Amino acid sequence: PQPRRLNFRAGTHPMTTRLETLGVLAGLADVPFRRYWSVDPRPETAILARWTEESAPPALLLRDVGRGRALLFTSSVDSVAWSDWPADWTYLA
């Protein structure tokens, strides 16, 4: 399948704003991802990024859990079968 990329234009969360200030988001948006999990987010979930394809499924989600927060990234962060991210400088950020 055609690789997908991350699209952070959907929100202005403090985390993505900080990554944008550091110059990470532009680089991360260029990383090809070949596989991801499909998820159905709960209504209270903030979608920080989506995949670049027609249906624009969620890629990075944030939700309050008890007194903390849970962040879900819907692709693997350490498998070259899923993405080229481990070889990119943004992986360290």
Side-chain angles (χ1 to χ4, degrees):
Q2 186 76 352
R4 288 136 176 106
R5 302 197 188 298
L6 291 168
N7 178 357
F8 287 93
R9 288 181 273 168
T12 56
H13 189 273
M15 184 182 82
T16 56
T17 301
R18 177 69 176 143
L19 291 174
E20 172 126 28
T21 301
L22 296 172
V24 175
L25 292 190
L28 188 52
D30 288 334
V31 176
F33 288 85
R34 290 175 286 284
R35 297 176 66 189
Y36 63 86
W37 291 283
S38 179
V39 297
D40 292 320
R42 293 181 178 190
E44 68 273 14
T45 302
I47 298 173
L48 305 181
R50 293 186 174 273
W51 295 109
T52 54
E53 63 182 77
E54 190 172 317
S55 62
L60 185 62
L61 305 95
L62 180 70
R63 181 167 76 95
D64 292 337
V65 178
R67 296 187 327 175
R69 294 183 186 146
L71 186 65
L72 173 65
F73 182 58
T74 61
S75 185
S76 175
V77 296
D78 64 353
S79 171
V80 294
W82 284 56
S83 76
D84 294 336
W85 196 19
D88 192 89
W89 72 270
T90 58
Y91 182 78
L92 296 175

